Amino acid sequence: MQKKLFYLLIVILVSGLGILGILRFSGQDGEATDYSNPDNWLSLPPQAVMEVDIFYLYPTVYHKQASTDPDICEVNNDMMRFGAQMAYKLQATAFETVGNIYSPYYRQGDAAACLSLTEEDRYNLLSGAPEEDAMAAFDYYIKHFNNGRPFILAGHSQGSEILLYLLSDYMGKHPDVYKHMIAAYAIGYSVTEDYLAKNPHLRFAENATDTGVIISYNTQAAEIEGKNLIVSEGALVINPISWTRDEAPASASENLGSYLPGADGYIPINPDTELKKIMGLADARVDNAKGVLVCSSVDAEAWFSGNPVLGKGVYHSYDYSFYYYNLRQNAADRARAFLDNNG
């Protein structure tokens, strides 16, 4: 029987939670989570030992178990916290050799609660708990932990969309903070030309070492079943192996390493599962017309989650895992470039 790669959080991600954008529901808005309480932080270093900080927002890891469950979980929800820890293990650890990682727990919404909403109705819900918590956590981090160090923003899926709100709203109002941003890894969510046009203070990455920029891509096969619902029209892409935006392919042999339980498809994972460096697995090619990053070196059948929302060949769940060590090296390179240029 073919082995299948299954991450606990991926089951939730591919059920649609990364598709709808930041899921902000009425009913639990208002006062943000108290980030002076250390218990509300997934990662809170006791002291900063590196020159650079990382502020990480995990993807959606909460879904309702019963129809009576709230559309937005509380910040102490056990499922959400466990899933956040799994996401941290799979994603945020890519940056642990680069900087001090600060990561808040934040309230999340259940995608199924608004799957039937129109885009306009979803937009009308964008002022709720997830953004409130993210803004409050980042502001608390800046005022109490950062101490003027340069920082990297990192996220995935819903976490990346929240980062886009931080970039447009918070950074737009706080240029003194923005000037310390090395880069924003808003992976697994579309950064579009329209978004940048509305936020002229922001720029998309053009190479491996430019700073103050946004890095984004959404991974899929060359041909997929159905539509990639994660990707928006006008999405911008950078290749995480070559760090170029042209369509020249980068081979799997050029990949610095993937971070997975194995190289042959979908396998179960739990907190004790050993993740390892896998060489020669994932290649990468930008497709500017589709606004995606194409990976053609893995078997779409073997890596399919089985969930119908994201069809066969959509590798949203592996955006970090396939290019884990390239992300680590690139974060280090951008941090060094920033420090060299800014003293």
Side-chain angles (χ1 to χ4, degrees):
M1 180 177 180
Q2 184 180 41
K3 294 200 296 187
K4 300 277 188 184
L5 177 58
F6 168 72
Y7 300 153
L8 172 70
L9 74 152
I10 285 172
V11 164
I12 303 163
L13 285 171
V14 298
S15 67
L17 294 176
I19 297 169
L20 298 175
I22 305 177
L23 304 174
R24 305 174 186 148
F25 300 81
S26 59
Q28 290 196 31
D29 303 345
E31 187 174 350
T33 294
D34 177 12
Y35 289 103
S36 68
N37 182 354
D39 187 56
N40 289 328
W41 289 86
L42 166 61
S43 178
L44 187 62
Q47 58 182 346
V49 297
M50 301 186 192
E51 296 178 276
V52 168
D53 289 347
I54 314 296
F55 185 85
Y56 167 73
L57 294 179
Y58 49 85
T60 312
V61 289
Y62 166 72
H63 67 98
K64 299 199 305 186
Q65 300 295 289
S67 60
T68 54
D69 290 345
D71 291 341
I72 294 178
C73 68
E74 297 293 342
V75 76
N76 60 356
N77 179 271
D78 288 340
M79 169 189 284
M80 185 272 289
R81 291 201 170 205
F82 179 81
Q85 292 160 19
M86 291 294 95
Y88 186 97
K89 177 178 180 178
L90 291 160
Q91 299 178 348
T93 53
F95 303 100
E96 66 185 4
T97 60
V98 180
N100 317 293
I101 304 179
Y102 296 84
S103 179
Y105 287 114
Y106 66 96
R107 293 170 291 171
Q108 295 192 322
D110 171 71
C114 62
L115 278 172
S116 62
L117 295 179
T118 65
E119 183 176 352
E120 181 179 359
D121 288 338
R122 291 197 301 269
Y123 179 80
N124 291 333
L125 297 173
L126 296 182
S127 60
E131 185 188 3
E132 289 170 359
D133 277 4
M135 292 287 191
F138 184 74
D139 189 61
Y140 194 87
Y141 152 75
I142 288 295
K143 291 176 178 176
H144 297 274
F145 303 135
N146 175 255
N147 292 318
R149 287 185 299 276
F151 60 87
I152 289 170
L153 300 179
H156 185 247
S157 199
Q158 183 183 160
S160 288
E161 188 174 0
I162 296 176
L163 287 186
L164 295 187
Y165 279 84
L166 281 174
L167 288 164
S168 60
D169 297 345
Y170 193 97
M171 300 303 180
K173 296 173 183 176
H174 298 86
D176 55 325
V177 174
Y178 179 48
K179 71 181 182 181
H180 293 289
M181 190 188 84
I182 296 168
Y185 291 81
I187 295 168
Y189 191 80
S190 292
V191 178
T192 65
E193 295 277 12
D194 183 59
Y195 172 80
L196 293 180
K198 292 175 180 176
N199 296 281
H201 62 289
L202 301 175
R203 297 180 297 121
F204 198 80
E206 298 290 340
N207 55 57
T209 57
D210 48 0
T211 59
V213 296
I214 305 173
I215 293 105
S216 183
Y217 58 84
N218 288 279
T219 317
Q220 67 169 55
E223 300 296 331
I224 64 173
E225 285 185 350
K227 181 181 178 181
N228 189 341
L229 298 176
I230 304 298
V231 179
S232 301
E233 185 176 353
L236 302 174
V237 189
I238 192 164
N239 188 316
I241 297 178
S242 64
W243 298 106
T244 61
R245 290 182 57 194
D246 62 41
E247 297 189 339
S251 68
S253 63
E254 298 173 80
N255 191 325
L256 297 180
S258 304
Y259 191 55
L260 297 158
D264 55 351
Y266 209 83
I267 358 179
I269 185 173
N270 59 55
D272 299 321
T273 300
E274 179 186 358
L275 300 174
K276 52 197 171 186
K277 188 174 186 178
I278 307 293
M279 300 301 296
L281 177 66
D283 64 1
R285 176 178 61 82
V286 170
D287 186 323
N288 286 312
K290 293 180 180 178
V292 298
L293 182 76
V294 174
C295 177
S296 59
S297 58
V298 302
D299 182 351
E301 183 74 37
W303 294 87
F304 180 43
S305 69
N307 190 290
V309 176
L310 296 185
K312 192 178 299 181
V314 176
Y315 302 133
H316 179 65
S317 306
Y318 312 108
D319 286 327
Y320 268 80
S321 297
F322 280 174
Y323 310 105
Y324 181 96
Y325 287 94
N326 296 82
L327 291 168
R328 171 173 288 184
Q329 184 62 58
N330 185 251
D333 291 344
R334 291 186 195 274
R336 179 48 51 196
F338 185 96
L339 292 170
D340 288 347
N341 292 331
N342 293 277

